[in-house]
Amino acid sequence: MATMRQMVHERIERIQETHQKTKQSRYGFLVRPLTLILGWTVVIIGIITIPLPGQGWLTTFVGVGILSLEQKWARNLLGWGVHQYDRLAAWYSRQSLSARVFMMAVLVVVIWVVFIALAYGFWRWGSAEWLDPLARWIGLHR
C-alpha cells in the first residue's frame, strides 16, 4: 500500500510540470493568483470531505501541495503534515481490531457532534431555515 507521501508526491509532480510551463506562457502573470485560488479551494473541499468516506485527507494534502508551488510555508506544512499522517496510519494499523473499531466509533460520534453543533449554530443565526421543521419537531425555538 502506498504511503500518503507517495500519493501526494505523484499528484503534485504532475501539477508542478504544468505549473512551470504555464508560468513561461504569455499569461504567466495570472498563474500565481490562480494557483493560490485553486489551492485554497482544494484545501477547503478536502477539509470538508475528511469525515466522509473517500479521499478527504489526500485532497487536503494535494490542496496544500498546490499552495506549496507558490508558498514556502505550505511546502513546510505539507512535508510535516504528510509525515504525521503516515506516522498515525502506521500506528493505527498496529492496533488491535477492537481498538480500531472503538477509535472509529469515537470518531463517528465526534463527527456527528460537530455537524450537529454547526447545523444548530447556523439554524440559530438564521442561515438554515430548512432546519425549521426538524427544530419544531425536536421542540426548539429561536
Side-chain angles (χ1 to χ4, degrees), residues 31-108:
V31 171
R32 181 177 170 82
L34 292 176
T35 299
L36 294 174
I37 290 169
L38 176 64
W40 281 112
T41 303
V42 173
V43 166
I44 290 167
I45 290 169
I47 289 171
I48 290 169
T49 60
I50 285 172
L52 305 175
Q55 308 245 346
W57 279 110
L58 179 60
T59 305
T60 303
F61 287 134
V62 168
V64 174
I66 293 169
L67 291 172
S68 76
L69 298 172
E70 296 290 342
Q71 301 285 307
K72 184 175 175 22
W73 66 265
R75 209 165 323 154
N76 297 335
L77 178 63
L78 180 64
W80 179 83
V82 168
H83 176 72
Q84 296 304 318
Y85 181 91
D86 285 341
R87 281 184 55 207
L88 178 66
W91 173 83
Y92 180 79
S93 68
R94 291 189 307 268
Q95 303 308 305
S96 68
L97 178 61
S98 59
R100 287 184 291 180
V101 168
F102 176 75
M103 286 184 268
M104 279 297 130
V106 169
L107 181 62
V108 167

